[in-house]
Structures are given as structure tokens and as C-alpha cells.
Amino acid sequence: MRTIPHNPYDLRRHDLPAILATIDAEVRERFGEGTLPEDIPSLVGQPRERFGMAVVTLDGDVHAVGDARVPLAIQSVSKVHTLTMALHEAGDALWRRVGREPSGDPFNSLVQLEYEHGIPRNPFINAGALVVDDVLMSLHADPENALLAFLRARTGNPRIGVDPPVTAEERRSGPRNIAVANFLRSFDNLACDVDAVLDFYSFHCALRMDCVDLARSVLYLANAGECPVSGERVTSAEGATRINAVMLTCGTYDAAGDFAFHVGLPAKSGVGGAIVAVVPKVMALCAWSPALDAKGNSMLGGYALHRFTRMTGLSVF
Ligand code: GLN
């Protein structure tokens, strides 16, 4: 008689609280690894011995461990939300202004922009995110409030907001982003005022959310584009598939290959130390620990996601 192979998608087979507790203990043993980002003052001063992780399933279960309810600067994780809004509202025309290939370069690199005529490789490097922001600003009179409304509806949390000092600090400490934005403008790939685009970019990098809300905020990507929290369609099923594909190939910058190798999930990281990940049709996750590896991804957040997919078999491969 044939034995039925273990089906990782049957969540009753996993003791998720025990798995998260094991990961939490393993990560805490490794506190001290990685470095805090040097260019964003508010992130330099933060305590590094922190770890939180949250799993939110499509069935509505929430499992959280450690510092999962501590608000953090979501930084580039916000690029998933802005991409989702822009793709839904502008449609495929968006891909004329930004590509969907991994860059193989750091997130704030300028080099490819010159020889690729101002078309950023993908929406998750800073250049691509600035183009996405420009699209949203052309479509919304108040893009900041539109994004806040999006995040509050995704999470059911009306208190989500930004840290104004961090927004101002980001704005002052981002000479490379200023250069990238002006470069895009010189190639006619930025229609709005350069300063206004940089203000909006700094605003969404300075948004504060915790791991549970961050996991919830991308649950629509596990649910064919429909938000289980509000019941709204956030993007088409095809849009969700495509965003997941871009996350898998580009969401962790020039470490995306390694991330696919070790974790095997669509994911998006930010220099605040958070990484969100999606198990299509099953769940969304967020792991957070502030210290980063050399590519700007959370060192222990990446390790936690690696352990999760190894212990559960829930990678996309
Ligand atoms: N605010 C940061 C920057 O522009 C965000 C980068 C990140 O999270 N990778 O450069």
C-alpha cells in the first residue's frame, strides 16, 4: 500500500507555536551577529537584541513570538504596498517605466540607471520605488493618506502612522536617493517634483508597524489578491502572482538568489530589520531583528525564515 506523503499545506500537522518558540530560542542565542545601518541615525541608536516573528494564516490564526508587537520602521517593506497600489491603479503601463529583473546591485546603486536609460531594473531598488511613488503621486492628490488608508484597511489597525522625526531624518540623510531621483528626472522617468517624490518616499520608509500588522498587511498576496481582513480586492489574482514573483526575484536586493536558496519564499526586506514573506494560498509572515547582513537584509530575520521553511516544508519549491 502506498503511504500518503506528508502534506506541508495541512497546517494541522504543524505545531506553529512550538516552531516559533524554537526559532525564537535559536535566534536569541545568536544575538550580536550583524550590524546596524550607519546612514539612518534613528536605526543606529536602537537596541539590537530584539527579535519578533508573526505568522498570520488565511484561516485567521495569528501566532506571534518575542518582540512581534514592538513597532518598527518598516523602511523598504513599504515598497510592496506602494507597488501593489500603483500596479492596481496604473495597470501594465507601469512596466514601461520600471523593469522586473533582479539588479544584482545594492538597493541604492546608480550604475545601471545610466546605461539602461533611466529605467530602473525593478520596483524594489530605490530607483524603481521612486518611479512607483511618482506614479502614485500622479494618481492621488494626497498619496500619503491614500497609503495610510491602504495599510489601515489591510491590517484593521486604524493607529498605523509614521514617525515624523524619522521622515525628516531620512530626508536629510539620503544623498544617494536625491541623486537617483534627479537622474530619473533627467531621463524623463519622473513627472512630479523631485523634492515632493523624495518627501513621499521618506514618508513611507518612516511608517511604523509591528510584525503582526506587517504580516497581515501582505496577506492579500497569499489570497490571490483579496484582503481577508477587509474583504476588498486589493489587486487581481494575476497581480498578486506577479508581485510575489518580483518579491522572490528582487525583494531582498542582491541577496535574492541566496534568499530563494535558503528560504524559498517571496519576501521583502527593509533596513529597519523586518522581512515579510508569503506562502501563497496559506499564510503571510514577518520576522524582525534590527542587525543587518552585508546586503542590508536582517541577519537573524533571514535565519528565522530559513528555519521556518526547513521545519515546516512550506517553501514554494
Ligand atoms: N530609507 C532607506 C533608503 O532609502 C530604505 C532602504 C531599505 O530599506 N532597503 O535608502
Side-chain angles (χ1 to χ4, degrees):
M1 207 171 86
R2 252 176 9 112
T3 51
I4 300 166
H6 174 69
N7 172 13
Y9 294 100
D10 180 357
L11 294 186
R12 290 167 306 180
R13 287 178 170 266
H14 304 293
D15 185 348
L16 291 175
I19 289 171
L20 291 188
T22 303
I23 295 172
D24 184 57
E26 287 182 19
V27 164
R28 282 167 199 277
E29 285 287 306
R30 293 182 56 175
F31 272 161
E33 292 182 32
T35 51
L36 293 172
E38 282 161 16
D39 49 348
I40 301 176
S42 62
L43 298 179
V44 174
Q46 67 180 323
R48 46 189 298 145
E49 306 215 326
R50 277 174 160 175
F51 171 69
M53 187 162 177
V55 171
V56 182
T57 71
L58 286 187
D59 303 333
D61 292 339
V62 177
H63 303 280
V65 78
D67 302 313
R69 299 258 48 163
V70 176
L72 56 110
I74 76 169
Q75 293 287 339
S76 286
V77 176
S78 59
K79 294 171 184 171
V80 179
H81 310 117
T82 51
L83 172 63
T84 301
M85 291 174 70
L87 193 57
H88 193 56
E89 294 166 18
D92 278 347
L94 179 73
W95 302 119
R96 286 203 286 273
R97 293 181 57 189
V98 60
R100 42 187 190 253
E101 288 294 343
S103 71
D105 274 326
F107 59 81
N108 54 8
S109 169
L110 275 151
V111 288
Q112 281 168 348
L113 264 189
E114 170 78 5
Y115 60 79
E116 296 184 353
H117 312 292
I119 306 294
R121 274 285 173 102
N122 67 66
F124 293 150
I125 52 172
N126 291 6
L130 288 164
V131 169
V132 168
D133 287 354
D134 188 60
V135 169
L136 284 178
M137 291 174 69
S138 311
L139 294 169
H140 292 270
D142 187 346
E144 296 184 356
N145 269 318
L147 178 58
L148 280 178
F150 177 94
L151 291 170
R152 290 170 180 167
R154 294 301 69 78
T155 56
N157 180 356
R159 291 178 308 281
I160 288 172
V162 286
D163 193 337
V166 177
T167 312
E169 170 194 296
E170 288 259 339
R171 194 65 176 83
R172 282 194 304 274
S173 63
R176 265 184 175 267
N177 292 336
I178 296 169
V180 170
N182 282 291
F183 220 51
L184 290 165
R185 178 56 162 247
S186 75
F187 284 105
D188 278 335
N189 201 7
L190 217 59
C192 300
D193 176 67
V194 167
D195 283 325
V197 177
L198 287 165
D199 285 344
F200 180 45
Y201 178 85
S202 306
F203 170 87
H204 63 73
C205 286
L207 282 160
R208 291 186 78 74
M209 290 168 69
D210 64 29
C211 291
V212 173
D213 281 344
L214 271 176
R216 269 200 192 109
S217 75
V218 294
L219 202 49
Y220 60 91
L221 293 172
N223 195 37
E226 196 180 291
C227 172
V229 178
S230 68
E232 287 167 278
R233 175 149 295 285
V234 178
T235 183
S236 63
E238 189 171 295
T241 306
R242 288 174 163 184
I243 294 165
N244 281 330
V246 180
M247 285 170 71
L248 183 79
T249 53
C250 313
T252 44
Y253 312 111
D254 44 337
D258 235 19
F259 211 82
F261 187 89
H262 287 298
V263 177
L265 293 177
K268 182 76 204 81
S269 64
V271 289
I275 309 176
V276 294
V278 177
V279 183
K281 304 176 183 62
V282 183
M283 62 173 62
L285 305 96
C286 176
W288 170 57
S289 193
L292 310 178
D293 62 19
K295 305 268 172 95
N297 298 308
S298 170
M299 182 104 170
L300 297 175
Y303 173 74
L305 292 170
H306 160 75
R307 292 292 290 134
F308 184 85
T309 54
R310 283 300 167 278
M311 284 195 248
T312 58
L314 282 168
S315 93
V316 296
F317 300 113

